[in-house]
Amino acid sequence: MKKELIIFVGIFLFLAIGMHFKEWTSYPIEHLLALPTAGAYGIGAFHPLVFTLFVYLIVALFRGIGRIFTKKK
């Protein structure tokens, strides 16, 4: 469970910094305070978690497929 949480947080940080690099380096507090009024695809303030969950599920799918093929008998 701890490993999965670390992977989820890692994906979250990677996506947040990757998509909003200028905002995180210039004015991070204002960027966080503007989150409740965010209108990303109609999702609003929960868009970081929704997008992270979507990417996490894709990563989990590939990890699961990798486990099937590398499973030792």
Side-chain angles (χ1 to χ4, degrees), residues 8-69:
F8 187 83
V9 170
I11 291 171
F12 177 82
L13 292 174
F14 177 77
L15 292 175
I17 293 171
M19 294 301 295
H20 303 286
F21 184 76
K22 188 172 102 178
E23 289 84 356
W24 282 110
T25 56
S26 300
Y27 46 93
I29 301 299
E30 291 85 2
H31 186 67
L32 283 175
L33 293 176
L35 190 59
T37 59
Y41 303 104
I43 302 171
F46 292 109
H47 77 273
L49 295 176
V50 172
F51 294 149
T52 303
L53 180 63
F54 180 71
V55 173
Y56 175 76
L57 291 175
I58 292 171
V59 169
L61 176 70
F62 284 118
R63 289 176 63 213
I65 292 171
R67 262 191 210 154
I68 290 172
F69 288 120

